[in-house]
Amino acid sequence: NALRETADFNAPSESQGLSPSVTSQTITTGKAAKSEKGLREKIAKAHTTIGNCEKRTEGYKVELVERKNLEAREDALSLNLKKWCAAVKQEVFSPVTEEKSELSRPRVDGSMSAPMDKAKQYAETLGIAKLPDIDAVLNSFKIFSWCLHSLGILMRKPRINEIRSLLSHCDSGYFKLPEAKCVRMLRSISSRAQIWQSKTKKALASVPNENKPYDLAVLRELLLAAKQIPLIMPEETRLWSTIEDGGNRHCICGGPSDGSFMLGCDNCDRWFHGSCMKIDKETGDALSKWICPPCSKSVSVEAVKVQEIHEIAGGETLLSQETNLPQSTQLPLSQSYHDISPHAPNPTTLWPPFGLRSSKEAVEALGKAGESDNEDFEVPIQPVARLKSGPNSYSQNPLPQG
C-alpha cells in the first residue's frame, strides 16, 4: 500500500496535463529568464559606473584648469612669493636672535604677534595673500597663537571661564583647525561643567523669608561630583562655605553664606549679603555699627530683586576672589601656579617652531643660512597689478626694478 501511494503521488495527474518534456522545457525557460535579468542588472550597473566616471572626469578637468590657472598665478608672482617666504622664515619661524624670537612669539591673550601681523600686511601688499598656500600659512599663525595660549591654560587646572573663552575664540571662525578632536574634548568638559553648575545654582537658590536650612546631603553630593570635573568653578566655593555654615540661610534673600562679603546686624545678630544691602566691602569695613533694614523697619528692596542681584554679584565676587585679579586682566604664561602638571609641556619652550636660525633643527628644516635670510617686512613693495588682457593675466615683473 505504501508503494502504491508513493507511485500515485509521483505520477502526473490528468488535470495537470504536463509531460516530462514540457516540464523540462519550462524549467529551462525559467533559468534563461533569470539569467537574462541578472545580465540586464549588471549592464545597468555598468552604465551607472560609466556615468559616474564621466562625471568625475569632468570634475577633474575643471580642477586641472583651476590648478593650471593657480600655477600660472604663482609663476607670475614667484619673485614675490620667494621674498615673502624668506621674510616669514626670518621674522617668524626661525628668527636670528633671542630678541627677535621674543618679538615674534604670539601674545599671551592668544592673538598674533606684531611680526605675524606684518607678514599678513606684507602678503597683501605683494598681492599674494589670497593664494591657497599663503592663506594656509597665515592660518597657521592663528593656530600657533591659539594653541600656545591653550597650553598655557591647560598646563594647570583651568577655570571654567577660560575654557569657554577658548571655545568661543575657536567657534568665531577666526581660524580653521585641521583637527577638531581637542576642541571636542574641551567642549565635552565644558558641557559637563555647565550641567553641574545648573544643578548647584538650583540647590543653592535663595528663597526670600525662608528659614529652613539647605539639604546638606545634596550639597555634599554636588561637592563630590565637582571633583570629577577638572575645572575651577566659582560654585565650588559657594558650596563649601554653605556646608561649613551648616546650610543656614541668611539675609532678606534667604540665601547662603557663600563666601561673599556679609554684614552682621548689631541689633539682631543676623547676617546680610553686602550685595543685597548695596554696601561694598570697603564701606562695610569702615562702619563702626550697622543695623539691618528689618530692625530699622526700612526694608526698601524687593526680595525677588535682591535675590537676583545677590546671585549675579555673588558669582562675580567669588570668581574675582579665586583669581585674585580683575576679570579683565589677562594672565601671562609666566604667571606662577602651584598646580602645574609635571607632564605638561612648557609653552615658553615651544617657540620659535624651528628654534633660532643657527640651531641644528632650523638648519635641518630650512637649510643653511644664506642671503635670503636678510629679508624683512620693511622693504616697500608695489602691489601687483593685473593686466587688462584677461582676468588671469599677471605682470611678469611684479617687483619694482632697482
Side-chain angles (χ1 to χ4, degrees):
N1 292 333
L3 292 172
R4 189 180 299 111
E5 290 175 358
T6 303
D8 292 342
F9 178 82
N10 292 331
S13 63
E14 295 181 359
S15 61
Q16 291 176 339
L18 297 175
S19 64
S21 61
V22 174
T23 303
S24 177
Q25 184 179 1
T26 303
I27 293 173
T28 303
T29 304
K31 289 182 178 179
K34 186 176 181 181
S35 177
E36 180 182 355
K37 181 180 179 181
L39 290 173
R40 290 184 181 278
E41 290 177 353
K42 290 182 179 180
I43 292 172
K45 289 182 179 179
H47 282 301
T48 302
T49 302
I50 292 172
N52 291 336
C53 290
E54 291 176 348
K55 290 181 180 179
R56 286 187 180 182
T57 302
E58 292 299 321
Y60 290 146
K61 288 180 180 179
V62 173
E63 184 179 342
L64 178 60
V65 172
E66 292 176 351
R67 185 164 297 185
K68 285 184 176 180
N69 289 338
L70 175 60
E71 290 177 354
R73 291 173 59 194
E74 291 177 344
D75 289 342
L77 297 168
S78 59
L79 294 179
N80 285 12
L81 284 169
K82 182 178 180 181
K83 194 172 186 68
W84 187 83
C85 290
V88 168
K89 178 175 64 175
Q90 176 182 337
E91 298 291 327
V92 179
F93 287 133
S94 186
V96 178
T97 64
E98 288 285 354
E99 183 181 357
K100 284 192 173 183
S101 173
E102 288 303 314
L103 185 63
S104 68
R105 184 187 300 276
R107 297 185 176 96
V108 294
D109 62 353
S111 59
M112 295 196 303
S113 63
M116 291 178 177
D117 288 330
K118 283 186 177 181
K120 180 181 178 181
Q121 298 171 4
Y122 195 48
E124 293 171 351
T125 302
L126 295 174
I128 60 175
K130 293 185 178 180
L131 293 177
D133 289 343
I134 303 302
D135 182 68
V137 174
L138 294 176
N139 183 60
S140 73
F141 291 167
K142 301 172 184 177
I143 294 176
F144 271 129
S145 303
W146 184 83
C147 287
L148 288 177
H149 179 52
S150 300
L151 285 174
I153 292 174
L154 298 176
M155 67 190 296
R156 51 173 172 81
K157 189 174 183 179
R159 307 186 227 327
I160 179 61
N161 64 314
E162 292 175 320
I163 296 298
R164 287 172 180 164
S165 176
L166 290 177
L167 291 172
S168 176
H169 194 189
C170 187
D171 294 338
S172 66
Y174 177 65
F175 58 90
K176 297 178 182 178
L177 283 173
E179 172 57 54
K181 183 178 180 181
C182 60
V183 178
R184 290 196 298 269
M185 293 177 62
L186 292 179
R187 205 180 303 280
S188 175
I189 296 174
S190 177
S191 178
R192 288 167 52 197
Q194 185 176 6
I195 294 173
W196 181 88
Q197 285 180 308
S198 298
K199 291 181 180 179
T200 303
K201 288 179 180 178
K202 183 177 180 181
L204 292 176
S206 302
V207 181
N209 302 319
E210 177 62 66
N211 295 319
K212 182 180 178 181
Y214 289 97
D215 190 335
L216 291 178
V218 173
L219 300 186
R220 290 192 181 100
E221 184 178 350
L222 286 169
L223 191 59
L224 183 62
K227 305 302 179 183
Q228 307 302 319
I229 302 175
L231 299 176
I232 297 175
M233 297 170 286
E235 290 80 7
E236 287 185 81
T237 304
R238 297 189 67 197
L239 272 176
W240 184 84
S241 298
T242 304
I243 292 172
E244 285 292 304
D245 191 46
N248 294 318
R249 294 180 183 270
H250 303 277
C251 194
I252 59 175
C253 71
S257 172
D258 54 10
S260 62
F261 170 67
M262 299 186 74
L263 292 160
C265 178
D266 291 314
N267 186 48
C268 65
D269 292 331
R270 289 181 61 194
W271 288 89
F272 296 80
H273 300 110
S275 56
C276 293
M277 299 295 102
K278 297 183 178 180
I279 299 176
D280 59 28
K281 187 176 187 304
E282 183 179 359
T283 303
D285 290 341
L287 296 174
S288 59
K289 184 178 182 180
W290 182 76
I291 305 299
C292 68
C295 290
S296 60
K297 297 180 181 180
S298 59
V299 181
S300 59
V301 183
E302 295 181 15
V304 176
K305 290 185 178 180
V306 169
Q307 176 184 353
E308 294 176 352
I309 294 172
H310 169 60
E311 289 179 353
I312 296 173
E316 293 177 351
T317 302
L318 289 169
L319 185 59
S320 178
Q321 288 174 351
E322 289 181 359
T323 59
N324 295 320
L325 290 169
Q327 287 184 313
S328 59
T329 302
Q330 293 290 344
L331 294 171
L333 293 177
S334 58
Q335 179 73 26
S336 176
Y337 293 97
H338 301 289
D339 59 345
I340 294 178
S341 170
H343 306 290
N346 185 354
T348 59
T349 63
L350 299 178
W351 192 267
F354 299 105
L356 295 180
R357 190 65 185 91
S358 58
S359 67
K360 179 180 177 181
E361 293 78 7
V363 172
E364 290 178 351
L366 306 172
K368 295 182 178 180
E371 294 182 0
S372 63
D373 293 284
N374 296 323
E375 294 289 352
D376 55 40
F377 300 129
E378 306 300 331
V379 181
I381 299 295
Q382 295 180 357
V384 178
R386 290 186 175 184
L387 300 178
K388 297 181 179 180
S389 56
N392 295 323
S393 299
Y394 289 82
S395 171
Q396 297 299 318
N397 297 299
L399 294 173
Q401 299 301 319

